[in-house]
Amino acid sequence: PAANDQPLDELVLELIEELDSGDGAPTAALLERLDEDHGISESAVQEAIEEALMNGSCYEPADGKLKAI
């Protein structure tokens, strides 16, 4: 389940874009924000991130950073 019936992968990508200050969004901040704001477990978020990485929706420009494509 995701916030406002929005699929978790879409929510993750939106938040990556929101948290990205130019060099990528910190993965830790993404996990924390989704947990605090939406009560989504770290494992569910990690799964959505892996899915986004695999399908080419985002990439890791540096260790611990994510960037939406």
Side-chain angles (χ1 to χ4, degrees), residues 11-55:
L11 190 61
V12 164
L13 289 173
E14 269 181 30
L15 200 50
I16 287 172
E17 289 176 357
E18 187 181 316
L19 294 171
D20 184 356
S21 58
D23 60 347
T27 307
L30 182 69
L31 293 168
E32 187 177 305
R33 182 89 169 270
L34 286 165
D35 180 39
E36 285 177 6
D37 294 357
H38 305 287
I40 301 170
S41 73
E42 185 174 325
S43 61
V45 176
Q46 291 283 17
E47 214 171 278
I49 290 170
E50 284 301 313
E51 183 76 24
L53 288 166
M54 295 295 280
N55 71 24

